[in-house]
Amino acid sequence: DQQVKQNSPSLSVQEGRISILNCDYTNSMFDYFLWYKKYPAEGPTFLISISSIKDKNEDGRFTVFLNKSAKHLSLHIVPSQPGDSAVYFCAASAYTQKLVFGQGTRLTINP
Amino acid sequence: NAGVTQTPKFRVLKTGQSMTLLCAQDMNHEYMYWYRQDPGMGLRLIHYSVGEGTTAKGEVPDGYNVSRLKKQNFLLGLESAAPSQTSVYFCASSLRLVNTEAFFGQGTRLTVV
């Protein structure tokens, strides 16, 4: 039972445009959500997070949106840069549950 | 500041062999985790530890054992490796158990033939 789902295995975006990565979850107890970025042959690195008491969190070019009623979160990257090409994982946690990760989305930024 | 360091980075095992993966963190974190990453499956939690001397099962614990004898180290053991354990293994640590980010090591690519 996949509690956190990233339904798009890959996404290709032109440099300078907006990248939107999506994530859906099924467990209504999740109250903290994170996005990680992973380059080949490296470990995932934390990118941005959001608590369930908020619906938006920004950090520079990265914005995470949370829609609790739809159990959906998204990561917006504006503008997209070649260095953003990586695999992005969303993750969720609840008070009684450790981090649960999605399958990942491979983002490719084309020049 | 090294963060989380995993040893080794690569390993090839024959079916039935045993090995231990070492994870070390220098951030004084209480919580440590072992994940495996497989294509299309994301990161799945194998075992975790909430402090020195403690361990607990995660989502996919079968075939693995762990030990946390020192706060900074978390060992993952495979007693009798199977081809299904071919994967990339990541160790992570965090300051808190929930509502916090985890810091990951660079990964260990294990192939069981």
Side-chain angles (χ1 to χ4, degrees), chain A residues 1-14:
Chain A
D1 179 28
Q2 192 83 26
Q3 296 187 70
V4 179
K5 295 182 182 180
Q6 294 175 255
N7 292 316
S8 298
S10 62
L11 176 67
S12 186
V13 174
Q14 195 170 358

Side-chain angles (χ1 to χ4, degrees), chain B residues 82-93:
Chain B
S84 60
Q85 294 178 303
T86 293
S87 187
V88 181
Y89 292 86
F90 290 101
C91 175
S93 70

Side-chain angles (χ1 to χ4, degrees), chain A residues 11-21 37 39 47 59-62 76-88 106-111:
Chain A
L11 176 67
S12 186
V13 174
Q14 195 170 358
E15 182 179 358
R17 298 289 185 105
I18 183 171
S19 295
I20 300 176
L21 295 95
K37 177 179 181 179
Y39 292 120
L47 194 56
D59 184 1
R61 296 186 297 113
F62 302 92
H76 293 210
I77 306 173
V78 183
S80 300
Q81 299 174 354
D84 296 329
S85 293
V87 176
Y88 290 78
R106 182 178 302 278
L107 174 65
T108 302
I109 306 301
N110 302 306

